[in-house]
Amino acid sequence: MIHTYSDSELLNSARELMRTEAGEILSASERLSPEIVNAARLIYQCEGRVVVVGLGKSGHVGRKISATLASLGTPSFFLHAAEAAHGDLGMVRREDVGLFISNSGASSEMVSLLPHFRRIGAKMIAITGVMTSPLAEYSDIVLDAHVDSEGDPLQLAPMSSTTLELVMGDALATLVTILRGLRREDFALFHPGGTLGRKLLTRVRDVMGTGESLPVVLEGVSVKDALFVITSKGYGTVCITDFSGNLTGIFTDGDLRRLMERLGAGAFDALIQDAMTKTPKTISPDALAAEAVRVMERNEVSVLVAVEEGKPVGIVHIHELLKAGIA
């Protein structure tokens, strides 16, 4: 007879699994030894690549760990244990470090690779749940990833064990990142196509309007003349400069509205220097575009003038930053 489970019973089962996996991670963190530091230093000092070896569910975890290491500046690739014995071992070199991931540490495909790594002189790190396994005995450094419960109802499917393997890999990657002194800017270099890469690599000069697109008038012109430049350039703003080309202020469509509230139609005949904002918010063209967004948000403005040596060289609007995927 098939039992019908209520929503609350199923929800409790999901919670119990999560508690089990979290408990296994906590237990592993408490028994963590200096071996993980030794493993991180070995990877940091590696002159070749980190060859992450796995099979089955642990293999899927291995692919993720390899990708994480590579994204943090450590050359790495994943080697499928079964494919390795059919030619892929040719990719492994003496200067590489093998990172083997196996809960049992005794699968025939995995064990058959160990003599090759030992023969060519490549160092080996093991993440395994059995500290007396052939994998543990062969490896130079062994990280204890054993679990008391997988968490699934049948106690057959790898759940807690693969979760712990993944966390151990993340911990290793974290330590290597610390040893490398990796900065956010360095990380962005490995992710130029992602959102973070755009935010950390895009400069104001990459998105600002320049040349003919830059709205500029000289002091001494009327608001009416400046208004023509504002409407023709599309930024809702005009930069005002002295005869040396130095920025002395800006005038926006908002300034125009406030001026008209005071002077009515006479606002158009006023001199621009008498109506402009004399302390505009500016930014360097070499500043990160993300910094421009922060300045805009902090000062509640939608446009910034890029200035070099006191002179306006560009202008950037929040819409351009949105289009570039920065804001």
Side-chain angles (χ1 to χ4, degrees), residues 6 19 26 41 95 107 114-115 121 181 185 196 236 269 286 288 327:
S6 66
R19 282 193 289 264
L26 181 59
R41 292 192 184 279
E95 59 270 20
S107 67
L114 303 178
E185 291 81 2
L196 180 59
D269 296 321
D286 291 318
L288 289 173

Side-chain angles (χ1 to χ4, degrees), residues 204 237-239 247-252 255 276-284 291-307 312 314-317:
V204 170
T237 300
V238 65
C239 305
L247 182 71
T248 57
I250 64 169
F251 185 76
T252 68
D255 291 326
M276 69 184 182
T277 298
K278 296 182 180 180
T279 55
K281 301 300 177 184
T282 63
I283 195 165
S284 166
E291 175 61 21
V293 174
R294 286 191 287 269
V295 173
M296 289 178 181
E297 291 176 341
R298 186 165 58 245
N299 295 282
E300 297 182 344
V301 297
S302 59
V303 174
L304 287 177
V305 181
V307 174
I315 188 168
V316 61
H317 195 284

Side-chain angles (χ1 to χ4, degrees), residues 32-50:
L32 206 59
S33 74
E35 284 289 82
I36 194 168
V37 176
N38 296 334
R41 292 192 184 279
L42 182 59
I43 291 174
Y44 170 64
Q45 295 164 0
C46 175
E47 296 180 355
R49 302 150 303 171
V50 177

Side-chain angles (χ1 to χ4, degrees), residues 245-268:
N246 295 310
L247 182 71
T248 57
I250 64 169
F251 185 76
T252 68
D253 47 15
D255 291 326
L256 176 62
R257 286 192 297 271
R258 288 185 287 273
L259 188 63
M260 291 187 67
E261 288 174 359
R262 290 194 295 112
L263 303 180
F268 295 104

Side-chain angles (χ1 to χ4, degrees), residues 16-294:
E16 182 59 30
L17 171 65
M18 290 183 176
R19 282 193 289 264
T20 298
E21 294 197 5
E24 294 292 355
I25 293 172
L26 181 59
S27 295
S29 70
E30 292 173 347
R31 67 173 183 265
L32 206 59
S33 74
E35 284 289 82
I36 194 168
V37 176
N38 296 334
R41 292 192 184 279
L42 182 59
I43 291 174
Y44 170 64
Q45 295 164 0
C46 175
E47 296 180 355
R49 302 150 303 171
V50 177
V51 183
V52 183
V53 186
L55 184 71
K57 306 299 185 295
S58 294
H60 295 306
V61 171
R63 290 182 187 276
K64 191 276 179 185
I65 293 173
S66 178
T68 297
L69 288 168
S71 75
L72 293 170
T74 297
S76 176
F77 68 91
F78 175 74
L79 181 63
H80 191 284
E83 296 293 337
H86 295 278
D88 286 358
L89 272 175
M91 295 187 290
V92 182
R93 296 290 181 264
R94 176 187 177 85
E95 59 270 20
D96 295 337
V97 170
L99 176 58
F100 291 77
I101 305 171
S102 172
N103 185 37
S104 70
S107 67
S108 59
E109 295 92 344
M110 190 77 75
V111 172
S112 68
L113 305 181
L114 303 178
H116 176 77
F117 276 76
R118 178 63 57 82
R119 185 165 54 251
I120 67 173
K123 296 294 185 180
M124 289 180 283
I125 301 169
I127 297 177
T128 183
V130 182
M131 300 298 284
T132 57
S133 64
L135 174 59
E137 293 176 0
Y138 254 95
S139 298
D140 299 287
I141 298 174
V142 184
L143 304 181
D144 184 2
H146 85 264
V147 297
D148 294 323
S149 173
E150 287 289 3
D152 78 298
L154 301 176
Q155 287 296 308
L156 294 175
M159 291 187 178
S160 293
S161 59
T162 49
T163 298
L164 181 53
E165 290 167 355
L166 180 60
V167 171
M168 293 285 267
D170 286 343
L172 260 180
T174 296
L175 297 187
V176 176
T177 300
I178 294 171
L179 291 171
R180 288 193 186 286
L182 202 73
R183 302 168 301 166
R184 289 171 60 86
E185 291 81 2
D186 300 321
F187 184 79
L189 292 174
F190 308 131
H191 302 75
T195 300
L196 180 59
R198 287 193 296 273
K199 288 184 177 180
L200 293 178
L201 295 176
T202 304
R203 304 284 173 175
V204 170
R205 68 169 67 253
D206 297 325
V207 293
M208 68 185 188
T210 60
E212 291 298 321
S213 299
L214 183 61
V216 181
V217 296
L218 284 170
E219 291 178 344
V221 305
S222 68
V223 168
K224 179 180 179 181
D225 292 332
L227 184 59
F228 174 77
V229 177
I230 291 177
T231 55
S232 65
K233 301 299 183 180
Y235 283 96
T237 300
V238 65
C239 305
I240 297 92
T241 67
D242 59 21
F243 284 97
S244 297
N246 295 310
L247 182 71
T248 57
I250 64 169
F251 185 76
T252 68
D253 47 15
D255 291 326
L256 176 62
R257 286 192 297 271
R258 288 185 287 273
L259 188 63
M260 291 187 67
E261 288 174 359
R262 290 194 295 112
L263 303 180
F268 295 104
D269 296 321
L271 293 177
I272 194 68
Q273 63 263 33
D274 296 331
M276 69 184 182
T277 298
K278 296 182 180 180
T279 55
K281 301 300 177 184
T282 63
I283 195 165
S284 166
D286 291 318
L288 289 173
E291 175 61 21
V293 174
R294 286 191 287 269

